[in-house]
Amino acid sequence: MLLCGKIFHDLYIMKKSSLIVLSLIATVITGGLLPACTSSSGQEAASCAIRIEHISGFPDYEPGYSLGVSACYAGFINDDLIIAGGCNFPDIPASEGGEKRFYKGIYRGLPANDSTLTWTQIGELPVEAAYGVTLSLPHKLIFVGGNHSAGGLSTTYSLSLNATGDAAILDTLPALPFALDNMAGAVLGNVLYVFGGNKAGVPSASLFSLSMENPVEGWKEEPALPGAPRVQPVCTAQEDALYIWGGFSPSLGENQEATVATDGYRYLPASKTWEPVSAPVSRPQANFLL
């Protein structure tokens, strides 16, 4: 199972026994969860140790991109690491009033050896974009929403590779009913879900779904999560439910201070209901070694 996240241009590999996980460490974008280590045996627990090692190489096809990007679309198609878009402040830092730059390149990364990735540009997004959600389906990635310098995006794209893997094939799926960015998403069965984020520029607790069995029906709005809006939450699918944790609600003036959520909910599509859940707990047998 593969895990992919993001933070600038630092790339790492995680090794668990014979499992190798390529990761842009930090915020999880897509991929899933590492298998839990539940053994009480010392010998078996030792095999659950996960080593994190630095891996070099980052795309440099667009000026400024090699400095590292945030909020890119990213995921795996088979064993190929794909990243697209993203943004950064290549000239002047944000703290000094620099201008954010968005990117549109689509890149494929392949391991040259245990410590290096080689990158090839295999296409471009229709516009420069970042802050959307990437969802993984067999042999393809789905890019949903995001924003760019002109505002929010409602677009949905399906990205696959040609037979040789050296060119991206980008197909258009039904657009969201609103521009949406900084949300979370997951796949449950054949249905895509996106939750929270900024809906038409306003913090939201909305949930939308798109059935891949009949995508022409478009995105449908599901019951909203009770409580405050959640921007940049965490979302995953497990068995027959969606799980939501965290996120923040920004300040909306003098009467509402910014808050950070620490609680979680799960959504049951069969009954279209939400119910609270406890926060995930770590398992002490799964050791991360730097």
Side-chain angles (χ1 to χ4, degrees), residues 5-180:
K6 65 181 174 71
I7 186 170
F8 295 110
H9 69 286
D10 288 329
L11 288 164
Y12 297 81
I13 56 174
M14 288 181 176
K15 293 183 178 179
K16 175 183 179 295
S17 300
S18 60
L19 172 69
I20 296 180
V21 181
L22 293 171
S23 176
L24 294 84
I25 296 297
T27 305
V28 172
I29 298 175
T30 186
L33 302 176
L34 286 173
C37 298
T38 59
S39 168
S40 59
S41 160
Q43 181 177 356
E44 293 178 355
S47 70
C48 288
I50 297 170
R51 181 175 297 277
I52 301 176
E53 301 174 4
H54 186 269
I55 186 167
S56 62
F58 201 73
D60 59 359
Y61 292 83
E62 297 171 272
Y65 203 87
S66 62
L67 297 174
V69 295
S70 180
C72 58
Y73 305 88
F76 286 88
I77 298 179
N78 303 321
D79 292 329
D80 297 347
L81 174 59
I82 306 295
I83 64 174
C87 59
N88 63 13
F89 293 84
D91 301 317
I92 300 174
S95 60
E96 299 175 14
E99 182 177 352
K100 182 181 292 186
R101 181 182 300 174
F102 290 82
Y103 299 90
K104 64 190 301 186
I106 302 172
Y107 303 101
R108 175 197 187 202
L110 295 175
N113 50 54
D114 283 347
S115 61
T116 306
L117 281 177
T118 58
W119 292 91
T120 304
Q121 183 169 359
I122 59 173
E124 289 186 339
L125 298 171
V127 298
E128 294 85 356
Y131 299 106
V133 158
T134 308
L135 301 172
S136 295
L137 293 175
H139 312 299
K140 67 179 64 177
L141 297 174
I142 308 296
F143 297 161
V144 186
N147 66 25
H148 60 170
S149 57
L153 298 169
S154 61
T155 49
T156 306
Y157 298 109
S158 170
L159 185 146
S160 56
L161 301 178
N162 67 352
T164 56
D166 58 2
I169 301 170
L170 207 61
D171 295 315
T172 301
L173 292 172
L176 291 158
F178 303 92
L180 200 62

